[in-house]
Amino acid sequence: MLQQALQHYFGYASFRQGQEEVITQLLEGKDVVALLPTGTGKSLCYQLTGKIKGAPVLIISPLLSLMQDQVNQMKKMGFKRVIALNSFLTREQFTQALNQLPHYEFIFTSPEMLQNELVTNKLRAMPLGLIVIDEAHCISEWGHDFRPDYLRLQTRLNYYNRPPIVALTATATPAVIADIKYVLQMEHASTYIAAIDRKEIHLQRKWFTTAQEKVNWIEDYVSTTLGPGIIYTSSRKRAEQLAEVLRKWHITVAAYHGGVSNEDRQLIQEQFLANDIEWIIATSAFGMGVHKTNIRHIIHETMSPTLSSYMQEIGRAARDGQDALATVLCTQTDYDVLQFLMDTLPSEPMIKQYYAGADQPLRELDQRLLAYWHSMYRCDEAIHYRDELYLSKRRAFDATRNYMETSSCLRATLVQYFEQSVQVVDACCTNCGLQDASFKELRRITHLSAQTPHWTLRLQQMLLK
Protein backbone atom coordinates (compact mmCIF):
# COMPACT_ATOMS: atom_id res chain seq x y z
CA MET A 1 0.00 0.00 0.00
CA LEU A 2 2.74 2.49 0.95
CA GLN A 3 4.73 1.74 -2.20
CA GLN A 4 1.65 2.35 -4.34
CA ALA A 5 0.87 5.61 -2.53
CA LEU A 6 4.48 6.75 -2.94
CA GLN A 7 4.33 6.07 -6.66
CA HIS A 8 0.89 7.66 -7.01
CA TYR A 9 1.54 10.92 -5.16
CA PHE A 10 5.26 11.47 -5.80
CA GLY A 11 6.24 9.21 -8.68
CA TYR A 12 9.01 7.52 -6.69
CA ALA A 13 9.64 3.80 -7.03
CA SER A 14 11.21 3.32 -3.60
CA PHE A 15 11.63 4.96 -0.21
CA ARG A 16 14.83 6.47 1.11
CA GLN A 17 16.42 5.50 4.39
CA GLY A 18 13.96 5.65 7.28
CA GLN A 19 10.99 7.07 5.40
CA GLU A 20 8.89 3.92 5.25
CA GLU A 21 9.58 3.03 8.88
CA VAL A 22 8.55 6.48 10.12
CA ILE A 23 5.40 6.69 7.96
CA THR A 24 4.30 3.21 9.05
CA GLN A 25 4.50 4.20 12.70
CA LEU A 26 2.57 7.42 12.10
CA LEU A 27 -0.22 5.64 10.22
CA GLU A 28 -0.54 3.34 13.22
CA GLY A 29 -1.22 6.42 15.36
CA LYS A 30 2.12 6.44 17.16
CA ASP A 31 4.26 9.45 18.04
CA VAL A 32 7.71 9.34 16.40
CA VAL A 33 11.06 11.04 16.88
CA ALA A 34 13.10 10.59 13.70
CA LEU A 35 16.74 11.47 13.21
CA LEU A 36 17.32 11.35 9.46
CA PRO A 37 20.43 12.76 7.73
CA THR A 38 20.18 15.90 5.63
CA GLY A 39 19.10 15.09 2.10
CA THR A 40 17.18 11.91 2.91
CA GLY A 41 13.76 13.47 2.42
CA LYS A 42 12.41 14.11 5.92
CA SER A 43 9.54 16.19 4.53
CA LEU A 44 8.15 13.23 2.59
CA CYS A 45 7.46 11.52 5.94
CA TYR A 46 4.69 14.02 6.70
CA GLN A 47 3.67 14.81 3.13
CA LEU A 48 2.80 11.23 2.27
CA THR A 49 1.25 10.59 5.69
CA GLY A 50 -1.00 13.60 5.20
CA LYS A 51 -2.06 12.48 1.74
CA ILE A 52 -2.88 8.96 2.92
CA LYS A 53 -4.79 10.13 6.00
CA GLY A 54 -6.65 12.80 4.04
CA ALA A 55 -6.56 15.20 6.99
CA PRO A 56 -4.79 18.56 7.53
CA VAL A 57 -1.17 18.47 8.68
CA LEU A 58 0.25 21.12 11.02
CA ILE A 59 3.99 21.80 10.58
CA ILE A 60 5.79 23.85 13.25
CA SER A 61 8.87 25.40 11.69
CA PRO A 62 11.65 27.42 13.37
CA LEU A 63 12.33 30.17 10.82
CA LEU A 64 10.10 32.38 8.68
CA SER A 65 12.45 32.04 5.71
CA LEU A 66 12.47 28.25 6.07
CA MET A 67 8.70 28.20 6.37
CA GLN A 68 8.22 30.28 3.23
CA ASP A 69 10.73 28.17 1.32
CA GLN A 70 8.92 24.98 2.31
CA VAL A 71 5.59 26.41 1.16
CA ASN A 72 7.10 27.48 -2.17
CA GLN A 73 8.73 24.08 -2.67
CA MET A 74 5.47 22.24 -2.01
CA LYS A 75 3.55 24.45 -4.41
CA LYS A 76 6.15 23.75 -7.10
CA MET A 77 5.60 20.06 -6.43
CA GLY A 78 1.89 20.48 -7.15
CA PHE A 79 0.47 20.90 -3.65
CA LYS A 80 -2.18 23.61 -3.91
CA ARG A 81 -3.67 23.89 -0.43
CA VAL A 82 -0.57 24.95 1.49
CA ILE A 83 -0.25 28.02 3.71
CA ALA A 84 2.25 29.68 6.05
CA LEU A 85 0.52 31.23 9.04
CA ASN A 86 3.08 33.75 10.19
CA SER A 87 3.90 37.41 10.76
CA PHE A 88 4.40 38.03 7.03
CA LEU A 89 0.60 38.18 6.70
CA THR A 90 -1.28 41.44 7.05
CA ARG A 91 -4.09 41.56 9.60
CA GLU A 92 -6.64 41.12 6.82
CA GLN A 93 -4.72 38.19 5.32
CA PHE A 94 -4.34 36.60 8.74
CA THR A 95 -8.08 36.80 9.45
CA GLN A 96 -8.92 35.38 6.04
CA ALA A 97 -6.38 32.56 6.45
CA LEU A 98 -7.72 31.68 9.91
CA ASN A 99 -11.28 31.46 8.61
CA GLN A 100 -10.23 29.21 5.74
CA LEU A 101 -7.75 27.10 7.74
CA PRO A 102 -9.77 23.84 7.61
CA HIS A 103 -9.58 23.93 3.80
CA TYR A 104 -5.77 23.65 3.74
CA GLU A 105 -3.90 20.35 3.58
CA PHE A 106 -0.60 21.58 5.01
CA ILE A 107 -0.38 24.44 7.52
CA PHE A 108 3.02 25.88 8.41
CA THR A 109 3.42 28.03 11.51
CA SER A 110 5.86 28.91 14.30
CA PRO A 111 5.97 28.22 18.07
CA GLU A 112 5.31 31.92 18.66
CA MET A 113 2.17 31.92 16.51
CA LEU A 114 0.80 29.02 18.56
CA GLN A 115 0.73 31.29 21.60
CA ASN A 116 -2.15 33.12 19.90
CA GLU A 117 -5.38 31.74 21.42
CA LEU A 118 -7.31 32.31 18.19
CA VAL A 119 -4.87 30.09 16.34
CA THR A 120 -4.67 27.28 18.89
CA ASN A 121 -8.46 27.21 19.40
CA LYS A 122 -9.00 27.00 15.64
CA LEU A 123 -6.44 24.20 15.27
CA ARG A 124 -7.82 22.20 18.19
CA ALA A 125 -11.28 22.34 16.64
CA MET A 126 -9.94 20.91 13.38
CA PRO A 127 -9.57 17.17 12.64
CA LEU A 128 -5.78 17.36 12.22
CA GLY A 129 -4.19 14.19 10.90
CA LEU A 130 -0.65 14.92 12.07
CA ILE A 131 1.47 17.46 13.95
CA VAL A 132 5.04 17.92 12.70
CA ILE A 133 7.92 19.52 14.61
CA ASP A 134 10.42 20.34 11.89
CA GLU A 135 14.08 20.82 12.90
CA ALA A 136 13.05 19.45 16.30
CA HIS A 137 16.51 19.89 17.83
CA CYS A 138 15.57 23.59 18.12
CA ILE A 139 13.28 22.65 21.02
CA SER A 140 16.30 21.78 23.13
CA GLU A 141 18.96 24.02 21.58
CA TRP A 142 16.87 27.20 21.25
CA GLY A 143 13.99 26.76 23.68
CA HIS A 144 16.07 26.96 26.85
CA ASP A 145 18.22 29.82 25.55
CA PHE A 146 16.21 32.42 23.69
CA ARG A 147 12.92 31.02 22.39
CA PRO A 148 10.93 29.83 25.40
CA ASP A 149 7.81 29.55 23.23
CA TYR A 150 9.32 26.26 22.07
CA LEU A 151 8.98 25.01 25.65
CA ARG A 152 5.39 26.26 25.79
CA LEU A 153 4.53 23.71 23.11
CA GLN A 154 4.25 21.36 26.06
CA THR A 155 0.88 22.88 26.92
CA ARG A 156 -0.19 24.07 23.47
CA LEU A 157 -0.01 20.59 21.94
CA ASN A 158 -1.32 18.71 24.94
CA TYR A 159 -5.05 18.38 24.38
CA TYR A 160 -7.63 15.64 24.23
CA ASN A 161 -7.64 13.49 21.13
CA ARG A 162 -4.66 15.20 19.53
CA PRO A 163 -3.20 13.49 16.44
CA PRO A 164 0.22 11.80 16.37
CA ILE A 165 3.31 14.02 16.57
CA VAL A 166 6.43 13.46 14.52
CA ALA A 167 9.60 15.32 15.54
CA LEU A 168 12.10 15.49 12.67
CA THR A 169 15.77 16.45 12.84
CA ALA A 170 19.09 15.64 11.21
CA THR A 171 21.22 15.99 14.35
CA ALA A 172 20.46 15.27 17.99
CA THR A 173 22.34 13.72 20.88
CA PRO A 174 20.51 11.20 23.09
CA ALA A 175 20.07 13.99 25.67
CA VAL A 176 18.43 16.25 23.07
CA ILE A 177 16.14 13.42 21.94
CA ALA A 178 15.09 12.86 25.56
CA ASP A 179 14.43 16.61 25.93
CA ILE A 180 12.31 16.64 22.76
CA LYS A 181 10.21 13.78 24.10
CA TYR A 182 9.82 15.48 27.48
CA VAL A 183 8.79 18.88 26.13
CA LEU A 184 6.32 17.39 23.67
CA GLN A 185 5.05 14.92 26.29
CA MET A 186 5.70 11.97 24.04
CA GLU A 187 7.91 9.89 26.33
CA HIS A 188 6.64 6.65 24.76
CA ALA A 189 7.25 7.74 21.18
CA SER A 190 8.92 5.43 18.72
CA THR A 191 12.44 6.52 17.87
CA TYR A 192 14.16 6.09 14.53
CA ILE A 193 17.85 7.03 14.54
CA ALA A 194 19.83 6.80 11.31
CA ALA A 195 23.62 6.89 11.18
CA ILE A 196 24.73 10.51 11.43
CA ASP A 197 28.10 10.02 9.72
CA ARG A 198 28.44 11.62 6.27
CA LYS A 199 31.50 9.98 4.74
CA GLU A 200 31.29 12.15 1.63
CA ILE A 201 32.04 15.25 3.74
CA HIS A 202 35.78 15.49 4.40
CA LEU A 203 36.85 17.47 7.46
CA GLN A 204 39.66 20.01 7.53
CA ARG A 205 40.90 22.12 10.46
CA LYS A 206 43.40 24.93 10.11
CA TRP A 207 45.00 27.02 12.87
CA PHE A 208 46.13 30.63 12.51
CA THR A 209 47.79 33.21 14.72
CA THR A 210 45.50 36.16 13.90
CA ALA A 211 42.04 36.82 12.53
CA GLN A 212 43.58 38.62 9.54
CA GLU A 213 45.40 35.44 8.58
CA LYS A 214 42.00 33.76 8.37
CA VAL A 215 40.76 36.47 6.03
CA ASN A 216 43.85 36.08 3.87
CA TRP A 217 43.32 32.32 3.66
CA ILE A 218 39.62 32.70 2.78
CA GLU A 219 40.47 35.28 0.11
CA ASP A 220 43.06 32.99 -1.46
CA TYR A 221 40.87 29.90 -1.15
CA VAL A 222 37.69 31.34 -2.61
CA SER A 223 39.40 33.36 -5.33
CA THR A 224 41.04 30.16 -6.59
CA THR A 225 38.33 27.60 -5.90
CA LEU A 226 35.07 26.92 -7.65
CA GLY A 227 31.92 26.79 -5.54
CA PRO A 228 29.17 26.47 -4.69
CA GLY A 229 30.11 27.12 -1.10
CA ILE A 230 28.99 28.65 2.19
CA ILE A 231 31.21 30.58 4.59
CA TYR A 232 29.80 30.83 8.12
CA THR A 233 30.77 33.78 10.31
CA SER A 234 29.97 34.75 13.89
CA SER A 235 28.40 38.16 13.16
CA ARG A 236 26.53 40.21 10.58
CA LYS A 237 29.38 42.71 10.40
CA ARG A 238 31.89 39.98 9.64
CA ALA A 239 29.67 38.55 6.89
CA GLU A 240 29.48 41.93 5.15
CA GLN A 241 33.23 42.51 5.50
CA LEU A 242 34.13 39.15 3.96
CA ALA A 243 31.62 39.61 1.15
CA GLU A 244 33.21 42.94 0.32
CA VAL A 245 36.69 41.40 0.25
CA LEU A 246 35.61 38.63 -2.13
CA ARG A 247 33.70 40.91 -4.48
CA LYS A 248 37.02 42.47 -5.43
CA TRP A 249 37.82 39.21 -7.17
CA HIS A 250 34.65 39.50 -9.27
CA ILE A 251 33.19 36.44 -7.59
CA THR A 252 29.40 36.23 -7.31
CA VAL A 253 28.96 36.40 -3.57
CA ALA A 254 26.24 37.58 -1.17
CA ALA A 255 26.04 38.25 2.56
CA TYR A 256 23.08 36.63 4.30
CA HIS A 257 22.08 37.39 7.90
CA GLY A 258 19.26 38.62 10.11
CA GLY A 259 19.88 42.24 9.11
CA VAL A 260 19.02 41.55 5.48
CA SER A 261 15.38 42.17 4.60
CA ASN A 262 13.07 39.19 4.17
CA GLU A 263 12.63 39.97 0.48
CA ASP A 264 16.39 40.20 -0.12
CA ARG A 265 17.06 37.01 1.84
CA GLN A 266 14.51 35.18 -0.29
CA LEU A 267 16.10 36.57 -3.47
CA ILE A 268 19.62 35.59 -2.34
CA GLN A 269 18.44 32.10 -1.56
CA GLU A 270 16.77 31.72 -4.95
CA GLN A 271 19.87 33.04 -6.75
CA PHE A 272 22.08 30.59 -4.85
CA LEU A 273 19.79 27.70 -5.75
CA ALA A 274 19.87 28.78 -9.41
CA ASN A 275 23.72 28.98 -9.37
CA ASP A 276 23.60 32.74 -10.01
CA ILE A 277 25.48 33.24 -6.72
CA GLU A 278 28.53 31.03 -6.17
CA TRP A 279 29.39 31.76 -2.53
CA ILE A 280 27.20 32.75 0.42
CA ILE A 281 28.76 34.49 3.44
CA ALA A 282 26.33 33.90 6.27
CA THR A 283 25.58 33.75 9.93
CA SER A 284 23.79 30.68 11.22
CA ALA A 285 20.57 32.24 9.85
CA PHE A 286 21.30 30.61 6.48
CA GLY A 287 20.99 27.01 5.40
CA MET A 288 18.06 25.43 7.20
CA GLY A 289 15.80 23.95 4.55
CA VAL A 290 17.94 25.09 1.61
CA HIS A 291 17.57 22.31 -0.94
CA LYS A 292 20.75 22.73 -2.96
CA THR A 293 22.34 19.41 -3.77
CA ASN A 294 25.77 20.42 -5.07
CA ILE A 295 27.31 22.52 -2.29
CA ARG A 296 31.00 21.55 -2.38
CA HIS A 297 32.52 23.70 0.37
CA ILE A 298 31.53 24.71 3.89
CA ILE A 299 33.97 27.05 5.64
CA HIS A 300 33.60 28.18 9.25
CA GLU A 301 35.49 31.41 9.78
CA THR A 302 34.81 30.82 13.47
CA MET A 303 33.82 27.48 14.95
CA SER A 304 30.12 26.96 15.71
CA PRO A 305 29.27 27.25 19.43
CA THR A 306 28.21 23.58 19.62
CA LEU A 307 29.05 20.43 17.70
CA SER A 308 25.33 19.96 17.08
CA SER A 309 25.09 23.25 15.20
CA TYR A 310 28.38 22.50 13.42
CA MET A 311 27.03 19.14 12.23
CA GLN A 312 23.85 20.85 11.03
CA GLU A 313 25.81 23.44 9.07
CA ILE A 314 28.34 21.16 7.37
CA GLY A 315 25.49 18.76 6.58
CA ARG A 316 24.26 21.22 3.98
CA ALA A 317 27.07 20.08 1.70
CA ALA A 318 27.17 17.02 -0.56
CA ARG A 319 23.46 16.27 -0.69
CA ASP A 320 24.12 14.76 -4.12
CA GLY A 321 26.35 12.15 -2.51
CA GLN A 322 29.51 13.54 -4.14
CA ASP A 323 32.53 14.55 -2.05
CA ALA A 324 32.73 17.91 -0.31
CA LEU A 325 35.12 19.65 2.03
CA ALA A 326 34.23 21.24 5.39
CA THR A 327 36.90 23.51 6.83
CA VAL A 328 37.03 25.19 10.23
CA LEU A 329 39.49 28.03 10.80
CA CYS A 330 40.80 28.49 14.34
CA THR A 331 42.70 31.03 16.45
CA GLN A 332 43.17 31.21 20.21
CA THR A 333 40.89 34.25 20.38
CA ASP A 334 38.00 32.15 19.03
CA TYR A 335 37.57 30.75 22.52
CA ASP A 336 36.57 34.22 23.69
CA VAL A 337 33.91 34.38 20.97
CA LEU A 338 32.58 30.95 21.91
CA GLN A 339 32.58 31.88 25.59
CA PHE A 340 30.61 35.03 24.79
CA LEU A 341 28.06 33.02 22.81
CA MET A 342 27.76 30.61 25.73
CA ASP A 343 27.19 33.29 28.37
CA THR A 344 23.64 34.18 27.33
CA LEU A 345 21.73 33.23 30.48
CA PRO A 346 20.46 35.71 33.11
CA SER A 347 22.68 35.82 36.20
CA GLU A 348 21.54 34.73 39.66
CA PRO A 349 21.31 38.38 40.91
CA MET A 350 19.15 39.24 37.89
CA ILE A 351 16.81 36.36 38.69
CA LYS A 352 16.47 37.41 42.34
CA GLN A 353 15.77 41.03 41.42
CA TYR A 354 13.20 39.99 38.83
CA TYR A 355 11.33 37.81 41.31
CA ALA A 356 11.48 40.64 43.87
CA GLY A 357 9.87 42.99 41.37
CA ALA A 358 12.84 45.36 41.35
CA ASP A 359 13.48 47.61 38.37
CA GLN A 360 16.55 46.66 36.35
CA PRO A 361 17.71 47.17 32.77
CA LEU A 362 17.14 43.93 30.86
CA ARG A 363 17.91 42.80 27.35
CA GLU A 364 14.90 41.54 25.41
CA LEU A 365 16.36 38.04 25.61
CA ASP A 366 16.68 38.18 29.41
CA GLN A 367 13.16 39.58 29.69
CA ARG A 368 11.70 36.69 27.68
CA LEU A 369 13.53 34.02 29.65
CA LEU A 370 12.81 35.53 33.04
CA ALA A 371 9.13 35.95 32.21
CA TYR A 372 8.93 32.29 31.23
CA TRP A 373 10.83 31.10 34.31
CA HIS A 374 8.64 33.25 36.54
CA SER A 375 5.54 31.59 35.09
CA MET A 376 6.95 28.12 35.67
CA TYR A 377 9.21 28.11 38.76
CA ARG A 378 9.80 29.51 42.19
CA CYS A 379 12.87 31.75 42.51
CA ASP A 380 15.08 29.00 43.94
CA GLU A 381 13.88 26.60 41.23
CA ALA A 382 14.67 29.14 38.52
CA ILE A 383 18.20 29.58 39.89
CA HIS A 384 18.70 25.81 39.96
CA TYR A 385 17.32 25.53 36.41
CA ARG A 386 19.68 28.26 35.25
CA ASP A 387 22.67 26.52 36.84
CA GLU A 388 21.76 23.22 35.15
CA LEU A 389 21.51 24.98 31.80
CA TYR A 390 24.90 26.60 32.34
CA LEU A 391 26.51 23.23 33.07
CA SER A 392 24.96 21.82 29.90
CA LYS A 393 26.31 24.74 27.87
CA ARG A 394 29.70 24.28 29.53
CA ARG A 395 29.83 20.64 28.47
CA ALA A 396 28.90 21.63 24.91
CA PHE A 397 31.65 24.28 24.94
CA ASP A 398 34.21 21.75 26.15
CA ALA A 399 33.21 19.33 23.38
CA THR A 400 33.63 22.08 20.79
CA ARG A 401 37.01 23.02 22.19
CA ASN A 402 38.07 19.39 22.08
CA TYR A 403 37.18 19.22 18.38
CA MET A 404 39.32 22.28 17.73
CA GLU A 405 42.33 20.84 19.57
CA THR A 406 42.18 17.05 19.30
CA SER A 407 44.90 15.07 17.53
CA SER A 408 42.43 12.20 17.07
CA CYS A 409 40.26 11.67 13.99
CA LEU A 410 37.96 14.66 13.56
CA ARG A 411 35.21 12.50 12.08
CA ALA A 412 35.32 10.09 15.01
CA THR A 413 35.34 12.99 17.49
CA LEU A 414 32.31 14.56 15.83
CA VAL A 415 30.26 11.39 15.40
CA GLN A 416 31.05 10.06 18.89
CA TYR A 417 29.66 13.28 20.37
CA PHE A 418 26.27 11.99 19.20
CA GLU A 419 27.09 8.63 20.83
CA GLN A 420 27.36 6.83 17.51
CA SER A 421 30.23 4.77 16.17
CA VAL A 422 32.27 5.45 13.07
CA GLN A 423 34.74 3.57 10.92
CA VAL A 424 37.83 5.70 10.44
CA VAL A 425 39.24 5.72 6.90
CA ASP A 426 42.43 7.19 5.46
CA ALA A 427 42.39 10.87 4.51
CA CYS A 428 38.95 11.49 5.97
CA CYS A 429 40.18 14.52 7.93
CA THR A 430 43.19 16.68 8.74
CA ASN A 431 44.32 14.29 11.46
CA CYS A 432 44.00 11.23 9.20
CA GLY A 433 46.15 12.38 6.31
CA LEU A 434 43.94 14.94 4.54
CA GLN A 435 46.27 17.51 2.99
CA ASP A 436 45.45 21.00 1.83
CA ALA A 437 46.71 22.13 -1.57
CA SER A 438 46.78 25.29 -3.65
CA PHE A 439 43.54 25.77 -5.52
CA LYS A 440 44.95 28.40 -7.87
CA GLU A 441 45.88 25.74 -10.37
CA LEU A 442 42.49 24.10 -9.99
CA ARG A 443 40.56 27.25 -10.87
CA ARG A 444 42.91 28.14 -13.70
CA ILE A 445 42.64 24.65 -15.19
CA THR A 446 38.86 24.72 -14.86
CA HIS A 447 38.59 28.03 -16.70
CA LEU A 448 40.82 26.81 -19.54
CA SER A 449 38.87 23.62 -19.99
CA ALA A 450 35.57 23.46 -21.82
CA GLN A 451 34.09 21.21 -19.18
CA THR A 452 34.22 21.38 -15.40
CA PRO A 453 35.96 18.23 -14.08
CA HIS A 454 33.93 15.81 -11.96
CA TRP A 455 34.11 16.60 -8.27
CA THR A 456 35.88 13.29 -7.51
CA LEU A 457 38.77 14.39 -9.72
CA ARG A 458 38.73 17.82 -8.13
CA LEU A 459 38.90 16.30 -4.64
CA GLN A 460 41.84 14.14 -5.70
CA GLN A 461 43.56 17.27 -6.92
CA MET A 462 42.77 18.92 -3.57
CA LEU A 463 44.43 16.11 -1.64
CA LEU A 464 47.68 16.21 -3.60
CA LYS A 465 50.60 17.44 -1.54
Side-chain angles (χ1 to χ4, degrees), residues 15-30:
F15 287 100
R16 293 184 182 178
Q17 179 187 21
Q19 291 176 332
E20 187 172 10
E21 292 87 343
V22 170
I23 294 169
T24 298
Q25 296 287 317
L26 293 174
L27 292 176
E28 292 176 359
K30 298 176 181 177

Side-chain angles (χ1 to χ4, degrees), residues 212-267:
Q212 184 57 47
E213 289 179 358
K214 287 185 182 182
V215 175
N216 295 343
W217 185 90
I218 290 172
E219 185 174 3
D220 180 65
Y221 186 93
V222 176
S223 66
T224 57
T225 308
L226 291 175
I230 305 173
I231 301 174
Y232 282 105
T233 68
S234 58
S235 69
R236 301 176 182 183
K237 181 179 179 181
R238 196 66 167 161
E240 293 290 352
Q241 289 172 338
L242 284 175
E244 190 61 32
V245 167
L246 296 176
R247 287 190 187 104
K248 296 176 182 177
W249 291 90
H250 305 289
I251 295 168
T252 53
V253 59
Y256 185 106
H257 49 72
V260 178
S261 70
N262 292 326
E263 293 78 9
D264 285 345
R265 274 187 283 176
Q266 189 67 32
L267 178 60

Side-chain angles (χ1 to χ4, degrees), residues 63 65-66 142 232-233 236 256-260 265 269 280 282-290 313 316:
L63 299 173
S65 57
L66 170 60
W142 293 2
Y232 282 105
T233 68
R236 301 176 182 183
Y256 185 106
H257 49 72
V260 178
R265 274 187 283 176
Q269 188 166 305
I280 296 286
T283 60
S284 58
F286 182 78
M288 232 180 240
V290 175
E313 287 156 3
R316 283 146 199 169

Side-chain angles (χ1 to χ4, degrees), residues 178-327:
D179 199 24
I180 290 169
K181 290 183 176 182
Y182 172 75
V183 170
L184 299 177
Q185 297 190 347
M186 45 193 285
E187 289 86 350
H188 303 295
S190 298
T191 304
Y192 182 90
I193 301 177
I196 204 168
D197 187 22
R198 300 277 305 282
K199 291 182 175 61
E200 63 273 21
I201 301 177
H202 299 258
L203 304 174
Q204 179 174 234
R205 184 189 64 200
K206 302 187 76 68
W207 273 89
F208 300 91
T209 304
T210 66
Q212 184 57 47
E213 289 179 358
K214 287 185 182 182
V215 175
N216 295 343
W217 185 90
I218 290 172
E219 185 174 3
D220 180 65
Y221 186 93
V222 176
S223 66
T224 57
T225 308
L226 291 175
I230 305 173
I231 301 174
Y232 282 105
T233 68
S234 58
S235 69
R236 301 176 182 183
K237 181 179 179 181
R238 196 66 167 161
E240 293 290 352
Q241 289 172 338
L242 284 175
E244 190 61 32
V245 167
L246 296 176
R247 287 190 187 104
K248 296 176 182 177
W249 291 90
H250 305 289
I251 295 168
T252 53
V253 59
Y256 185 106
H257 49 72
V260 178
S261 70
N262 292 326
E263 293 78 9
D264 285 345
R265 274 187 283 176
Q266 189 67 32
L267 178 60
I268 290 170
Q269 188 166 305
E270 290 173 359
Q271 289 177 318
F272 187 57
L273 292 172
N275 296 317
D276 294 327
I277 291 177
E278 188 178 354
W279 287 85
I280 296 286
I281 321 296
T283 60
S284 58
F286 182 78
M288 232 180 240
V290 175
H291 301 287
K292 186 172 178 65
T293 62
N294 65 333
I295 295 173
R296 299 270 71 91
H297 309 273
I298 303 288
I299 300 172
H300 280 78
E301 189 252 352
T302 301
M303 181 63 183
S304 299
T306 69
L307 291 186
S308 291
S309 56
Y310 183 66
M311 193 66 152
Q312 279 279 336
E313 287 156 3
I314 68 172
R316 283 146 199 169
R319 293 181 63 155
D320 55 6
Q322 300 300 312
D323 291 307
L325 189 63
T327 304

Side-chain angles (χ1 to χ4, degrees), residues 275-439:
N275 296 317
D276 294 327
I277 291 177
E278 188 178 354
W279 287 85
I280 296 286
I281 321 296
T283 60
S284 58
F286 182 78
M288 232 180 240
V290 175
H291 301 287
K292 186 172 178 65
T293 62
N294 65 333
I295 295 173
R296 299 270 71 91
H297 309 273
I298 303 288
I299 300 172
H300 280 78
E301 189 252 352
T302 301
M303 181 63 183
S304 299
T306 69
L307 291 186
S308 291
S309 56
Y310 183 66
M311 193 66 152
Q312 279 279 336
E313 287 156 3
I314 68 172
R316 283 146 199 169
R319 293 181 63 155
D320 55 6
Q322 300 300 312
D323 291 307
L325 189 63
T327 304
V328 58
L329 312 181
C330 308
T331 65
Q332 287 294 327
T333 56
D334 290 346
Y335 296 131
D336 297 331
V337 177
L338 294 174
Q339 184 72 44
F340 174 78
L341 294 173
M342 188 183 76
D343 292 336
T344 57
L345 298 172
S347 65
E348 182 175 330
M350 289 170 62
I351 296 172
K352 290 181 176 179
Q353 289 187 56
Y354 188 88
Y355 274 75
D359 289 332
Q360 59 178 321
L362 292 173
R363 299 176 303 164
E364 182 184 355
L365 169 60
D366 293 329
Q367 178 65 43
R368 289 203 305 267
L369 286 177
L370 288 169
Y372 175 73
W373 293 352
H374 190 267
S375 70
M376 298 293 293
Y377 310 116
R378 300 191 311 268
C379 183
D380 61 318
E381 291 174 330
I383 292 171
H384 176 73
Y385 179 67
R386 184 261 178 208
D387 291 343
E388 289 293 317
L389 286 178
Y390 182 82
L391 288 175
S392 176
K393 291 167 76 71
R394 182 79 240 180
R395 288 191 291 269
F397 174 83
D398 290 342
T400 301
R401 182 166 188 154
N402 179 54
Y403 183 85
M404 295 169 68
E405 298 177 351
T406 186
S407 58
S408 300
C409 173
L410 295 178
R411 182 183 304 281
T413 301
L414 186 58
V415 172
Q416 287 167 5
Y417 175 73
F418 297 92
E419 300 185 25
Q420 294 191 18
S421 60
V422 61
Q423 183 177 355
V424 177
V425 296
D426 292 340
C428 78
C429 72
T430 297
N431 293 342
C432 294
L434 181 70
Q435 297 292 323
D436 191 12
S438 170
F439 287 89

